[in-house]
Amino acid sequence: MKESFSTVSSYQSIEEIRLRKAALQKEIEADSAKIDEKWHSLFKKPEALSKSATPSQRISGIISSGAGVLDGILLVWKLYRKFKR
């Protein structure tokens, strides 16, 4: 479904336009800050690799990474066997 973003607003003065522009600028800056925070959280170093991690956290991190690698290898192998023509 396509949304219509064109809303008709009737402004009576330049000051109203300036106030609306300032409000929109604040919203844009807030959205930009949220996007920036989420972007940086994507590339955050895992806690299991930090120096303050306990040995059990490190072991669970290694097991989790190993399981992910094994899953990826199995996926590649299955795709290779399916499409090897």
Side-chain angles (χ1 to χ4, degrees):
M1 188 163 109
K2 188 174 184 179
E3 292 183 23
S4 176
F5 289 105
S6 62
T7 58
V8 178
S9 298
S10 60
Y11 297 105
Q12 301 298 323
S13 68
I14 298 289
E15 188 60 33
E16 290 178 1
I17 295 172
R18 287 185 183 142
L19 290 173
R20 176 70 176 145
K21 182 180 174 182
L24 288 174
Q25 186 64 34
K26 284 183 181 180
E27 289 178 23
I28 290 170
E29 289 172 0
D31 289 343
S32 178
K34 286 180 188 176
I35 291 170
D36 191 43
E37 177 185 332
K38 290 184 181 195
W39 179 259
H40 288 297
S41 71
L42 283 175
F43 300 106
K44 187 178 178 184
K45 189 175 181 181
E47 290 182 19
L49 298 177
S50 67
K51 291 182 180 181
S52 63
T54 63
S56 61
Q57 287 177 330
R58 288 188 183 131
I59 291 171
S60 68
I62 290 170
I63 291 172
S64 176
S65 297
V69 169
L70 180 64
D71 186 43
I73 290 170
L74 289 174
L75 174 67
V76 169
W77 177 251
K78 287 179 182 179
L79 291 173
Y80 172 74
R81 285 183 40 204
K82 185 174 183 179
F83 296 111
K84 69 177 181 180
R85 292 186 200 197

